[in-house]
Amino acid sequence: MPEPRTATLPDDPASIEFFRVNGLPDPTPGMDLAAYWDSLPWQQRDLGGWTADSLAEGLAAFVAARHIAARQPAALRSLDILPGRAKDGSPEAHTLHLVPGEVVCIVGPTGSGKSRLLADIECLAQGDTPSRRRVLVDGSAPDPQWRFSGEARLVAQITQNMNFVMDLAVADFLHLHAESRALEDADEAVRRVLDAAVAMAGEPFGADTPLTQLSGGQSRALMIADAALLSPKPVVLIDEIENAGVDRGRALNLFVEKGKIVLLSTHDPLLALSGHRRLVIRNGAVARVIEASPAERECAQRLARFDRSLAGLREALRRGEPLDEAWSRLRF
Amino acid sequence: MKLITLAGPPSSGKTSVALKVLRQLQDEGVKAGVVKFDCLASQDGKRYRAAGFPALTGLAGNTCPDHFFVNNIEDCAAWGREQGLDLLVSESAGLCNRCAPHVRSLYACCVLDNLAGVDTPRKIGPMLKTADLVVITKGDIVSQAEREVFAHRVRQVNGKARILFANGITGQGTWEVARLWNEAPQDQELTGGRLRFSLPSAVCSYCFGQTRIGRDYQRGVIRRMDMEAAERA
């Protein structure tokens, strides 16, 4: 409903922004909407595409969006995925209980149903997707309205097909994201994301670097840091980020520290072993749940050494050094 | 019959989303059809018919496509009832951002894509501002952060609509859209009903601010669709 025209116009900077983005003059403090409308030049009133009512409605929507953005999603305590059925109709054997700070890896050949599982979580399936799985939030079926609100969705997604498409510098873009979350200290939030992203990326980049000029590894690092630190979503779904040139251990730690539930679809041995559990998907269903054994953990440590050595070789290549020298310094 | 207005910028994914949504409803026994309004050319009628949905194509030619829409929507709705449809989707490309084909009593859906740029929601106007449901597509190729910023910008111009993300290629998110379309109001009378936003610009009664639907209200240069040709176009 349009605001009463006699109500005083809000004069906080966030509301003044409404007039600026629409190319309208700032209202004088204490003015009501009727007085503001009358104060506009007739050309603006007649030809500017606004009426007094649409202006009131537009301002109300703009201000309301800020309240919606400021609303923090309730902290998630758990996510349960109740079994559905495999592609051949046979029942799925495993129930999954996920808690904040947990990293679960998903493995299986292409077409086995990894994406279906991620999609079931994304849409909070209630026995109505082909897998017939049900997802419980904090132990019970979620409010059905959540499924019909993009803003209420619990899930952030990162896949290897995603790119930054906005023509903005990194810091300007992060500011936009912080503003859309109505954060108190946007500058601090931006700095934290940028620091975390640079620490994860192989090559440093700055606040002024255009988003679209980031390398694959840099943009992946920025997406991860942003999803961990700026996105309000408590669940993160990651699909195949292995080839990105990102410090993967650091990336996962960032999510764990922020108490996110991470589901990671991957065939990278180092990543697959860094999860608390891994799910083997076969024929559309979770066929096995594997917890890393001590022998596997030993394996993971050796893999991490190889990974650091490989990173060292990449670094030597980048510096233009002969690889044999670097090779002899590194431990394989 | 339920009638839905579906609008959005060219290539935002209206037809791909509609095909996924309508196929789900078809599987549930809903008989759906489409009328596609466009300016100069459209291949979408063929896409809908190939998928098994009866479809009309109305090309506005030299006239404004939204004016053309409102001068013809009653006949299209009558065609839909003749076909025995449960659901008719009126799809039109929002080309100039000035107008909107949304009607007060009908469910109104706007499709936007994430690639359009963060300032696009502020530029679009009534097609977006007066919609009941905003579907944002192409989320699979941009970052999570961009999706969140884009949805926020949409929220800033439309405080009431539901905002959903959908993928016209994989169908992800279209189940939710199908549920909402299926709840659209039934058997709304068009004649005498009103557009949500006036369409002034040049040569017919709607150009002068008329918002009522019906032949009695239509003056000036009115082009009616040739329904037989439209079924083949």
Side-chain angles (χ1 to χ4, degrees):
Chain A
M1 287 305 291
E3 301 241 283
R5 292 200 205 175
T6 49
T8 305
L9 290 170
D11 57 0
D12 56 292
S15 303
I16 300 279
E17 181 71 9
F18 168 78
F19 297 94
R20 297 193 178 151
V21 301
N22 287 297
L24 295 163
D26 288 5
T28 314
M31 218 176 205
D32 65 26
L33 187 78
Y36 178 76
W37 181 251
D38 290 338
S39 76
L40 292 175
W42 69 266
Q43 292 92 335
Q44 194 131 35
R45 275 177 287 156
D46 278 11
L47 307 170
W50 293 100
T51 62
D53 285 339
S54 72
L55 194 66
E57 218 168 310
L59 176 63
F62 193 87
V63 172
R66 194 172 159 76
H67 294 307
I68 290 171
R71 210 180 292 151
Q72 293 294 326
L76 187 67
R77 293 194 307 276
S78 68
L79 208 59
D80 291 281
I81 301 152
L82 306 187
R85 58 180 195 192
K87 283 178 190 166
D88 60 9
S90 60
E92 195 173 29
H94 300 275
T95 301
L96 304 167
H97 179 75
L98 310 174
V99 294
E102 187 166 9
V103 178
V104 176
C105 295
I106 302 172
V107 298
T110 304
S112 61
K114 299 193 295 291
S115 302
R116 177 73 260 163
L117 176 62
L118 295 182
D120 284 343
I121 297 167
E122 203 270 335
C123 76
L124 298 174
Q126 294 301 314
D128 41 24
T129 61
S131 72
R132 301 290 170 93
R133 289 190 185 100
R134 288 178 61 217
V135 179
L136 305 184
V137 177
D138 294 341
S140 50
D143 179 349
Q145 290 305 313
W146 282 13
R147 304 183 72 184
F148 299 103
S149 159
E151 290 140 315
R153 282 297 168 90
L154 300 171
V155 167
Q157 272 183 301
I158 300 174
T159 76
Q160 59 185 2
N161 295 330
M162 289 174 182
N163 285 297
F164 287 111
V165 296
M166 283 185 196
D167 187 13
L168 286 174
V170 170
D172 293 339
F173 171 68
L174 291 175
H175 262 284
L176 272 190
H177 195 198
E179 276 164 29
S180 80
R181 301 261 351 261
L183 294 183
E184 290 290 319
D185 193 347
D187 290 340
E188 168 64 14
V190 168
R191 200 185 49 73
R192 279 209 316 270
V193 175
L194 192 61
D195 289 350
V198 170
M200 248 183 290
E203 291 170 289
F205 58 95
D208 299 332
T209 310
L211 278 180
T212 48
Q213 278 178 25
L214 296 176
S215 70
Q218 288 169 332
S219 38
R220 214 59 59 203
L222 186 60
M223 282 182 200
I224 290 166
D226 180 277
L229 300 171
L230 254 183
S231 170
K233 312 289 182 192
V235 181
V236 184
L237 307 182
I238 303 177
D239 201 357
E240 314 267 2
I241 52 161
E242 41 261 42
N243 303 322
V246 173
D247 185 336
R248 290 155 290 178
R250 212 188 265 259
L252 287 184
N253 277 339
L254 199 58
F255 288 125
V256 171
E257 279 165 25
K258 295 300 289 182
K260 306 272 186 185
I261 292 175
V262 180
L263 288 109
L264 182 64
S265 162
T266 184
H267 296 141
D268 177 294
L270 187 60
L271 271 178
L273 291 178
S274 58
H276 301 98
R277 286 181 282 174
R278 69 182 187 275
L279 314 177
V280 182
I281 312 288
R282 202 174 295 139
N283 198 23
V286 177
R288 249 185 108 186
V289 180
I290 302 175
E291 307 234 0
S293 64
E296 267 196 347
R297 273 198 287 274
E298 166 64 23
C299 225
Q301 281 175 8
R302 293 174 61 188
L303 270 172
R305 278 202 299 277
F306 287 143
D307 192 59
R308 280 194 294 275
S309 299
L310 261 177
L313 284 180
R314 259 197 298 270
E315 198 43 47
L317 259 181
R318 212 175 264 147
R319 287 193 301 260
E321 291 172 12
L323 278 195
D324 50 347
E325 286 172 23
W327 183 275
S328 60
R329 280 200 309 272
L330 298 165
R331 298 163 55 201
F332 276 95
Chain B
M1 187 184 73
K2 296 163 182 170
L3 177 56
I4 288 174
T5 54
L6 173 65
S11 302
S12 55
K14 297 180 293 299
T15 304
S16 297
V17 167
L19 279 168
K20 293 283 184 198
V21 171
L22 295 184
R23 206 164 287 157
Q24 298 195 29
L25 292 172
Q26 192 178 40
D27 290 346
E28 296 164 22
V30 174
K31 189 159 189 242
V34 182
V35 50
K36 168 80 185 196
F37 289 98
D38 218 319
C39 283
L40 301 175
S42 175
Q43 300 299 312
D44 292 341
K46 291 196 184 90
R47 283 180 73 190
Y48 284 118
R49 281 194 286 269
F53 301 106
L56 294 174
T57 305
L59 295 177
N62 288 337
T63 49
C64 159
D66 284 322
H67 293 215
F68 185 73
F69 156 84
V70 73
N71 284 321
N72 286 287
I73 188 62
E74 294 163 280
D75 290 349
C76 294
W79 170 85
R81 280 189 292 271
E82 274 166 30
Q83 304 282 316
L85 299 182
D86 302 311
L87 174 72
L88 176 64
V89 176
S90 166
E91 180 193 334
S92 44
L95 294 158
C96 76
N97 297 339
R98 164 62 186 78
C99 299
H102 301 321
V103 176
R104 284 186 194 174
S105 55
L106 304 181
Y107 197 64
C109 179
C110 177
V111 177
L112 291 182
D113 74 272
N114 273 295
L115 294 179
V118 270
D119 290 329
T120 297
R122 291 171 177 176
K123 294 179 194 165
I124 282 188
M127 174 169 72
L128 170 63
K129 288 178 186 171
T130 68
D132 300 309
L133 169 65
V134 180
V135 177
I136 304 177
T137 60
K138 303 184 194 176
D140 55 327
I141 47 181
V142 305
S143 65
Q144 174 73 24
E146 285 163 307
R147 286 192 292 281
E148 289 177 15
V149 170
F150 195 84
H152 177 68
R153 290 286 177 97
V154 169
R155 180 55 78 209
Q156 282 182 322
V157 296
N158 187 330
K160 285 170 287 194
R162 289 182 188 274
I163 300 175
L164 284 178
F165 302 100
N167 184 326
I169 308 289
T170 64
Q172 193 172 351
T174 52
W175 180 89
E176 288 82 350
V177 178
R179 301 277 65 75
L180 295 172
W181 283 14
N182 207 31
E183 285 166 20
Q186 184 81 27
D187 295 326
Q188 295 295 308
E189 181 58 57
L190 272 170
T191 307
R194 276 185 189 275
L195 290 167
R196 296 190 184 194
F197 200 86
S198 65
L199 311 174
S201 86
V203 286
C204 70
S205 38
Y206 298 103
C207 307
F208 296 103
Q210 177 62 271
T211 57
R212 262 190 209 288
I213 300 161
R215 282 172 194 249
D216 287 350
Y217 308 104
Q218 294 165 359
R219 300 278 185 281
V221 183
I222 307 290
R223 274 187 58 223
R224 304 260 177 230
M225 283 164 68
D226 174 346
M227 302 307 275
E228 264 178 49
E231 249 175 321
R232 293 187 305 272

